[in-house]
Structures are given as C-alpha cells and as structure tokens.
C-alpha cells in the first residue's frame, strides 16, 4: 500500500510539472533571508494576488531560518541553471563577491535605509562612547564595526544576539550593554517590555546609512533570463504596493504562509517597514530603487574599517527598475 501511495504521489507531481510546462510558466525560486513575516510580505502577496502568474512566472517562496544562508542557496540553484532570487544585506553580498569570488549581483533594494537601531542602557553622545558587549545577529555586525571604524576590536565585543522575547531576552536582562533591534520587531518589543530607562539610536546618527534587504541573483541568471528577471522585479513590488494599500488582507495572506505569526504585531511592523520603503526616492523612481551612492559609501566605510580589502563595485549593482510607484 505504501509503495502504491508513493507511486501515486510521483505520478501526481509529474502531471503537475507537465501542466506547468504546458501552461508556459517559468519556474522561479524566491529565497527569503528569514522566516516569512512582515519584511517579506510582498512575495506571498504577489503569489496570492496572481501578479507573478500574470507575468508568466510560477514562483515558490522559500522561507529562511537559522543556519540557512540565502547566498549559498541561491548559488546552488543558479549552478543548476534555475531561475532564482534571494534577499540579503548588501554588505554580506559584497563580502562574498570579494572573499569567495561569487558572481552575485544586486537587482533592487527593499529598504532605502537601515531598519536596524541600537538599543543601549546608557546614553551615546558620540560613537567613541560605545564600548562593551554588543549583541547582534551573526552576519549583521558590520554596521557597528564600520561606525566605530578601524580598531573596533578594542571597543566592542560582538556577541550573538539571543534569548526570548524576540532575541532581546539577554539585553532586557542586562547581560550585555547594547543590542541591535529592527524597527518592525525588537524595537516594538523593547517599547513594551523594557522596565528601566534605555536609549535608542539610528545607525544614521553615526554616519552609517546603507540600504538593506536587497534583491539579488547571479550574473549567470541575469544573462540567461533577462526578460523573466524584469517581469519578476515588477511583479514582486506590485506585491508590496498591494500590501501597503491593503494591510488587513495582506495580513491574512501572510498567515497562510506562516500560521504561527501574531498578525496584529506583524501589521504594526509593516507600518514601520513602509517608512523605509516608501521614500521620496521610491516615489520618484519606483519601489526597489537602488541608491548606488549609498552602496558606494558602504563599501568605502567597510574598507576603512578593515572589513573589506577593496571598495570596488565593478559589476555588483545591476539595478532593474520596477516601475512600481508606492
């Protein structure tokens, strides 16, 4: 019986694959950087509302999580000749290009500025005031290092952020001095649960103003699927456009992808996300606009801090305008 069921399942999958091929749909993988939640809402909405399908794309949204590198996963599918996209931070991508020689390219930027804030138990008048344990997530420590500059090792000890609630448990218990906090998550948790006075700062206050959550792929994918890439970018940002205009419905769609979410909390976070996605630049140029000047400054600051050997961006930014106004 188990063998018969297995054969039936294989048969069904084969039929579905044939139907997809007959419909002329191009299969696409969208690799998220983390679990599917407010920051990735544009993708499930674009699937649910048929924006991808209307563009001839059969998109599978793939959740991320601890230990799952979007860079590694995109590279694996790209090497297999598949049409694949991912979300990560531009500094992680640039580092992988330089140190691992990976052919990664930026297509668009979700966040026009940083969603990360610094939470501190003591006031920070200037960046040189920062010293002690600094909690942030693995791979997200470059902004504080760049803000401090060369010699950051003598100022801060970077520790992996952890502990409930929302990775802020350790900081709330005063196990470390500083913590990174996203405006759509940990910042809201701190506002609700911190019992003692604390201070909140933007990285922009200390000269670090970088785009985040950039859409990327490989140069091989871009070369092989130029038309499909353009269609994907446009459909994806239609998803965000729809979510901003219809947050309650978007929340219901999000719940289908991740039933464990507190949707009210996610929609509150979406309001914060909108502030760094809908800006004068994206109102003029469309959602996903890539500010190359900010990317260039990021590279220069990372080089100055000794994190990168070069500030070269040759071939790194291959912006694809979405044409979607917020």
């Amino acid at each position: 019986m188990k063998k018969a069921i297995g054969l039936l399942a294989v048969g069904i999958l084969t039929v579905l694959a044939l139907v997809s091929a007959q419909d002329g749909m191009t299969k696409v993988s969208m690799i998220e950087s983390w679990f599917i939640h407010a920051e990735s809402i544009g993708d499930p909405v674009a699937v649910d509302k048929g924006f991808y399908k209307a563009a001839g794309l059969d998109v599978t949204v793939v959740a991320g999580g601890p230990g799952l590198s979007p860079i590694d996963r995109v590279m694996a599918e790209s090497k297999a000749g598949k049409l694949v996209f991912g979300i990560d931070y531009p500094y992680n991508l640039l580092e992988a290009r330089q140190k691992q020689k990976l052919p990664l390219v930026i297509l668009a930027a979700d966040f026009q500025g940083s969603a990360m804030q610094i939470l501190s138990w003591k006031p920070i008048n200037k960046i040189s005031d920062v010293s002690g344990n600094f909690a942030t997530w693995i791979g997200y420590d470059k902004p504080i290092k760049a803000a401090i500059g060369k010699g950051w090792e003598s100022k801060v000890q970077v520790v992996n952020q952890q502990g409930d609630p929302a990775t802020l448990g350790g900081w709330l218990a005063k196990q470390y001095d500083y913590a990174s906090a996203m405006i759509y998550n940990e910042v809201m948790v701190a506002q609700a649960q911190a019992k003692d006075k604390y201070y909140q700062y933007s990285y922009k206050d200390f000269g670090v103003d970088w785009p985040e959550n950039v859409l990327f792929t490989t140069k091989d994918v871009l070369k092989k699927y130029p038309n499909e890439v353009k269609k994907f970018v446009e459909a994806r940002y239609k998803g965000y456009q729809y979510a901003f205009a219809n947050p309650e419905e978007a929340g219901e769609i999000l719940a289908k992808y991740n039933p464990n979410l507190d949707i009210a909390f996610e929609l509150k976070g979406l309001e914060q996300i909108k502030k760094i996605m809908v800006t004068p630049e994206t109102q003029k140029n469309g959602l996903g606009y890539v500010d190359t000047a900010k990317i260039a400054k990021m590279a220069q600051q990372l080089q100055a801090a000794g994190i990168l050997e070069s500030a070269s961006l040759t071939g790194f930014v291959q912006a694809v305008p979405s044409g979607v106004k917020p």
Side-chain angles (χ1 to χ4, degrees), residues 239-257:
Y240 278 102
Q241 180 192 55
Y242 191 90
F244 292 146
N246 306 275
E248 296 298 329
E249 183 183 353
E252 294 174 1
I253 294 170
L254 196 60
K256 298 177 187 177
Y257 280 74

Side-chain angles (χ1 to χ4, degrees), residues 70-86 93 97 101-107 215-226 229 315-316 318 320:
I71 293 175
D72 291 346
R73 299 168 93 185
V74 166
M75 284 302 305
E77 294 210 18
S78 174
K79 287 178 181 178
K82 299 178 181 179
L83 178 51
V84 58
F85 302 89
L93 299 170
R97 273 177 60 95
K101 309 301 181 185
L102 301 182
L104 304 169
V105 294
I106 291 177
L107 304 173
L215 180 71
F216 74 97
T217 189
T218 69
K219 66 178 184 180
D220 294 332
V221 167
L222 187 56
K223 182 178 180 180
K224 185 177 180 180
Y225 300 99
V229 168
F316 183 43
Q318 301 287 334
V320 177

Side-chain angles (χ1 to χ4, degrees), residues 199-260:
Y199 301 86
Q200 178 181 329
Y201 301 93
S202 166
Y203 276 96
K204 192 173 181 179
D205 298 335
F206 306 111
V208 172
D209 184 21
W210 306 340
E212 291 177 349
N213 280 33
V214 296
L215 180 71
F216 74 97
T217 189
T218 69
K219 66 178 184 180
D220 294 332
V221 167
L222 187 56
K223 182 178 180 180
K224 185 177 180 180
Y225 300 99
N227 295 328
E228 289 83 357
V229 168
K230 291 178 181 178
K231 291 177 181 178
F232 179 87
V233 170
E234 180 181 0
R236 182 172 188 270
Y237 287 106
K238 283 183 178 178
Y240 278 102
Q241 180 192 55
Y242 191 90
F244 292 146
N246 306 275
E248 296 298 329
E249 183 183 353
E252 294 174 1
I253 294 170
L254 196 60
K256 298 177 187 177
Y257 280 74
N258 191 344
N260 296 318

Side-chain angles (χ1 to χ4, degrees), residues 152-172:
W152 60 265
E153 302 95 329
S154 65
K155 298 289 295 183
V156 294
Q157 297 76 51
V158 175
V159 297
N160 187 33
Q161 189 156 300
Q162 56 188 314
D164 290 329
T167 74
L168 277 185
W171 178 79
L172 288 169

Side-chain angles (χ1 to χ4, degrees), residues 44 48 69 102 110 123 137 147 150 164 178 187 201 230 264 289 292:
D48 192 87
S69 165
L102 301 182
D110 291 353
W137 311 276
K150 210 153 194 175
D164 290 329
Y178 313 93
V187 166
Y201 301 93
K230 291 178 181 178
Y289 171 69
T292 53

Side-chain angles (χ1 to χ4, degrees), residues 100-151:
Q100 300 177 55
K101 309 301 181 185
L102 301 182
L104 304 169
V105 294
I106 291 177
L107 304 173
D110 291 353
F111 298 170
Q112 299 302 302
S114 180
M116 271 198 291
Q117 303 277 291
I118 298 172
L119 301 182
S120 172
W121 289 116
K122 51 190 176 183
I124 304 172
N125 296 312
K126 51 189 182 301
I127 196 62
S128 59
D129 293 338
V130 175
S131 64
N133 293 325
F134 196 106
T136 187
W137 311 276
I138 294 173
Y140 293 79
D141 53 3
K142 294 177 182 65
I144 187 58
K145 293 177 179 178
I148 294 173
K150 210 153 194 175

